[in-house]
PDB file of all heavy atoms in Angstrom:
ATOM      1  N   ARG A  52     -48.732   7.028 -54.400  1.00 31.00           N
ATOM      2  CA  ARG A  52     -47.939   7.828 -53.527  1.00 31.00           C
ATOM      3  C   ARG A  52     -48.754   9.251 -53.485  1.00 31.00           C
ATOM      4  O   ARG A  52     -48.912   9.882 -54.488  1.00 31.00           O
ATOM      5  CB  ARG A  52     -46.519   8.056 -54.081  1.00 31.00           C
ATOM      6  CG  ARG A  52     -45.657   8.945 -53.225  1.00 31.00           C
ATOM      7  CD  ARG A  52     -44.269   8.972 -53.721  1.00 31.00           C
ATOM      8  NE  ARG A  52     -43.475   9.783 -52.844  1.00 31.00           N
ATOM      9  CZ  ARG A  52     -42.174  10.185 -53.091  1.00 31.00           C
ATOM     10  NH1 ARG A  52     -41.678   9.528 -54.190  1.00 31.00           N
ATOM     11  NH2 ARG A  52     -41.510  10.840 -52.248  1.00 31.00           N
ATOM     12  N   VAL A 209     -33.574  21.746 -52.857  1.00 93.00           N
ATOM     13  CA  VAL A 209     -34.038  20.412 -52.381  1.00 93.00           C
ATOM     14  C   VAL A 209     -33.100  19.217 -52.524  1.00 93.00           C
ATOM     15  O   VAL A 209     -33.277  18.069 -52.257  1.00 93.00           O
ATOM     16  CB  VAL A 209     -35.364  19.928 -53.022  1.00 93.00           C
ATOM     17  CG1 VAL A 209     -36.495  20.861 -52.695  1.00 93.00           C
ATOM     18  CG2 VAL A 209     -35.148  19.854 -54.463  1.00 93.00           C
ATOM     19  N   GLY A 210     -31.836  19.649 -52.887  1.00 95.00           N
ATOM     20  CA  GLY A 210     -30.756  18.662 -53.028  1.00 95.00           C
ATOM     21  C   GLY A 210     -30.690  17.912 -54.273  1.00 95.00           C
ATOM     22  O   GLY A 210     -30.203  16.697 -54.265  1.00 95.00           O
ATOM     23  N   GLY A 211     -31.260  18.403 -55.368  1.00 96.00           N
ATOM     24  CA  GLY A 211     -31.267  17.724 -56.586  1.00 96.00           C
ATOM     25  C   GLY A 211     -32.724  16.919 -56.821  1.00 96.00           C
ATOM     26  O   GLY A 211     -33.373  16.694 -55.926  1.00 96.00           O
ATOM     27  N   LEU A 272     -42.437  16.270 -56.439  1.00 79.00           N
ATOM     28  CA  LEU A 272     -42.278  15.180 -55.646  1.00 79.00           C
ATOM     29  C   LEU A 272     -41.240  15.240 -54.601  1.00 79.00           C
ATOM     30  O   LEU A 272     -41.402  14.939 -53.326  1.00 79.00           O
ATOM     31  CB  LEU A 272     -42.124  13.935 -56.433  1.00 79.00           C
ATOM     32  CG  LEU A 272     -43.148  13.247 -57.235  1.00 79.00           C
ATOM     33  CD1 LEU A 272     -42.758  12.166 -58.207  1.00 79.00           C
ATOM     34  CD2 LEU A 272     -44.219  12.642 -56.374  1.00 79.00           C
ATOM     35  N   LYS A 273     -40.104  15.846 -55.039  1.00 85.00           N
ATOM     36  CA  LYS A 273     -39.005  16.030 -54.078  1.00 85.00           C
ATOM     37  C   LYS A 273     -39.408  17.100 -53.027  1.00 85.00           C
ATOM     38  O   LYS A 273     -38.999  17.079 -51.852  1.00 85.00           O
ATOM     39  CB  LYS A 273     -37.734  16.407 -54.798  1.00 85.00           C
ATOM     40  CG  LYS A 273     -36.512  16.493 -54.039  1.00 85.00           C
ATOM     41  CD  LYS A 273     -36.060  15.106 -53.431  1.00 85.00           C
ATOM     42  CE  LYS A 273     -34.745  15.117 -52.621  1.00 85.00           C
ATOM     43  NZ  LYS A 273     -33.609  15.301 -53.507  1.00 85.00           N
ATOM     44  N   ALA A 274     -39.929  18.140 -53.429  1.00 81.00           N
ATOM     45  CA  ALA A 274     -40.312  19.266 -52.535  1.00 81.00           C
ATOM     46  C   ALA A 274     -41.315  18.768 -51.493  1.00 81.00           C
ATOM     47  O   ALA A 274     -41.340  19.343 -50.371  1.00 81.00           O
ATOM     48  CB  ALA A 274     -40.930  20.380 -53.393  1.00 81.00           C
ATOM     49  N   THR A 275     -42.075  17.788 -51.784  1.00 74.00           N
ATOM     50  CA  THR A 275     -43.144  17.392 -50.757  1.00 74.00           C
ATOM     51  C   THR A 275     -42.743  16.144 -50.034  1.00 74.00           C
ATOM     52  O   THR A 275     -43.535  15.512 -49.314  1.00 74.00           O
ATOM     53  CB  THR A 275     -44.505  17.232 -51.461  1.00 74.00           C
ATOM     54  OG1 THR A 275     -44.381  16.292 -52.494  1.00 74.00           O
ATOM     55  CG2 THR A 275     -45.121  18.480 -51.938  1.00 74.00           C
ATOM     56  N   SER A 276     -41.471  15.559 -50.308  1.00 79.00           N
ATOM     57  CA  SER A 276     -41.034  14.448 -49.731  1.00 79.00           C
ATOM     58  C   SER A 276     -40.728  14.689 -48.205  1.00 79.00           C
ATOM     59  O   SER A 276     -40.477  15.856 -47.756  1.00 79.00           O
ATOM     60  CB  SER A 276     -39.746  13.971 -50.392  1.00 79.00           C
ATOM     61  OG  SER A 276     -38.678  14.884 -50.172  1.00 79.00           O
ATOM     62  N   SER A 277     -40.727  13.615 -47.388  1.00 79.00           N
ATOM     63  CA  SER A 277     -40.443  13.709 -46.069  1.00 79.00           C
ATOM     64  C   SER A 277     -39.026  14.367 -45.754  1.00 79.00           C
ATOM     65  O   SER A 277     -38.776  15.084 -44.733  1.00 79.00           O
ATOM     66  CB  SER A 277     -40.553  12.460 -45.270  1.00 79.00           C
ATOM     67  OG  SER A 277     -39.695  11.511 -45.812  1.00 79.00           O
ATOM     68  N   GLU A 278     -38.097  13.960 -46.577  1.00 86.00           N
ATOM     69  CA  GLU A 278     -36.700  14.484 -46.314  1.00 86.00           C
ATOM     70  C   GLU A 278     -36.546  15.991 -46.544  1.00 86.00           C
ATOM     71  O   GLU A 278     -35.715  16.675 -46.041  1.00 86.00           O
ATOM     72  CB  GLU A 278     -35.666  13.756 -47.323  1.00 86.00           C
ATOM     73  CG  GLU A 278     -35.953  14.046 -48.728  1.00 86.00           C
ATOM     74  CD  GLU A 278     -34.766  13.382 -49.690  1.00 86.00           C
ATOM     75  OE1 GLU A 278     -33.631  13.944 -49.619  1.00 86.00           O
ATOM     76  OE2 GLU A 278     -35.066  12.443 -50.309  1.00 86.00           O
ATOM     77  N   THR A 279     -37.490  16.481 -47.366  1.00 84.00           N
ATOM     78  CA  THR A 279     -37.567  18.071 -47.520  1.00 84.00           C
ATOM     79  C   THR A 279     -38.320  18.710 -46.418  1.00 84.00           C
ATOM     80  O   THR A 279     -37.796  19.682 -45.777  1.00 84.00           O
ATOM     81  CB  THR A 279     -38.064  18.375 -48.907  1.00 84.00           C
ATOM     82  OG1 THR A 279     -37.265  17.894 -49.850  1.00 84.00           O
ATOM     83  CG2 THR A 279     -38.137  19.914 -49.018  1.00 84.00           C
ATOM     84  N   VAL A 280     -39.597  18.237 -46.144  1.00 75.00           N
ATOM     85  CA  VAL A 280     -40.580  19.021 -45.354  1.00 75.00           C
ATOM     86  C   VAL A 280     -40.075  18.817 -43.905  1.00 75.00           C
ATOM     87  O   VAL A 280     -40.612  19.765 -43.044  1.00 75.00           O
ATOM     88  CB  VAL A 280     -41.994  18.642 -45.588  1.00 75.00           C
ATOM     89  CG1 VAL A 280     -42.350  18.892 -47.024  1.00 75.00           C
ATOM     90  CG2 VAL A 280     -42.305  17.166 -45.217  1.00 75.00           C
ATOM     91  N   THR A 281     -39.261  17.914 -43.595  1.00 82.00           N
ATOM     92  CA  THR A 281     -38.884  17.707 -42.174  1.00 82.00           C
ATOM     93  C   THR A 281     -37.541  18.403 -41.967  1.00 82.00           C
ATOM     94  O   THR A 281     -36.951  18.387 -40.751  1.00 82.00           O
ATOM     95  CB  THR A 281     -38.722  16.329 -41.726  1.00 82.00           C
ATOM     96  OG1 THR A 281     -37.759  15.661 -42.674  1.00 82.00           O
ATOM     97  CG2 THR A 281     -40.131  15.671 -41.780  1.00 82.00           C
ATOM     98  N   ASN A 282     -37.022  19.074 -42.935  1.00 86.00           N
ATOM     99  CA  ASN A 282     -35.732  19.725 -42.789  1.00 86.00           C
ATOM    100  C   ASN A 282     -35.893  21.275 -42.853  1.00 86.00           C
ATOM    101  O   ASN A 282     -36.209  21.682 -44.013  1.00 86.00           O
ATOM    102  CB  ASN A 282     -34.712  19.273 -43.984  1.00 86.00           C
ATOM    103  CG  ASN A 282     -33.402  19.749 -43.824  1.00 86.00           C
ATOM    104  OD1 ASN A 282     -33.113  20.951 -43.460  1.00 86.00           O
ATOM    105  ND2 ASN A 282     -32.379  19.019 -44.118  1.00 86.00           N
ATOM    106  N   PRO A 283     -35.834  21.943 -41.767  1.00 82.00           N
ATOM    107  CA  PRO A 283     -36.195  23.508 -41.853  1.00 82.00           C
ATOM    108  C   PRO A 283     -35.335  24.234 -42.842  1.00 82.00           C
ATOM    109  O   PRO A 283     -35.753  25.185 -43.471  1.00 82.00           O
ATOM    110  CB  PRO A 283     -35.992  23.855 -40.472  1.00 82.00           C
ATOM    111  CG  PRO A 283     -36.150  22.532 -39.578  1.00 82.00           C
ATOM    112  CD  PRO A 283     -35.611  21.440 -40.487  1.00 82.00           C
ATOM    113  N   LYS A 285     -33.855  23.188 -45.684  1.00 88.00           N
ATOM    114  CA  LYS A 285     -34.276  22.942 -47.032  1.00 88.00           C
ATOM    115  C   LYS A 285     -35.603  23.637 -47.325  1.00 88.00           C
ATOM    116  O   LYS A 285     -35.673  24.291 -48.323  1.00 88.00           O
ATOM    117  CB  LYS A 285     -34.446  21.383 -47.255  1.00 88.00           C
ATOM    118  CG  LYS A 285     -33.092  20.681 -47.483  1.00 88.00           C
ATOM    119  CD  LYS A 285     -33.500  19.277 -48.046  1.00 88.00           C
ATOM    120  CE  LYS A 285     -32.159  18.443 -48.268  1.00 88.00           C
ATOM    121  NZ  LYS A 285     -32.507  17.080 -48.749  1.00 88.00           N
ATOM    122  N   VAL A 286     -36.393  23.653 -46.352  1.00 83.00           N
ATOM    123  CA  VAL A 286     -37.752  24.296 -46.516  1.00 83.00           C
ATOM    124  C   VAL A 286     -37.606  25.787 -46.723  1.00 83.00           C
ATOM    125  O   VAL A 286     -38.019  26.378 -47.717  1.00 83.00           O
ATOM    126  CB  VAL A 286     -38.833  24.034 -45.422  1.00 83.00           C
ATOM    127  CG1 VAL A 286     -39.922  24.914 -45.427  1.00 83.00           C
ATOM    128  CG2 VAL A 286     -39.154  22.672 -45.396  1.00 83.00           C
TER     129      VAL A 286
END
Side-chain angles (χ1 to χ4, degrees):
R52 183 174 181 183
V209 296
L272 284 170
K273 187 65 177 289
T275 55
S276 68
S277 60
E278 69 175 284
T279 298
V280 299
T281 58
N282 185 323
K285 281 189 176 182
V286 169

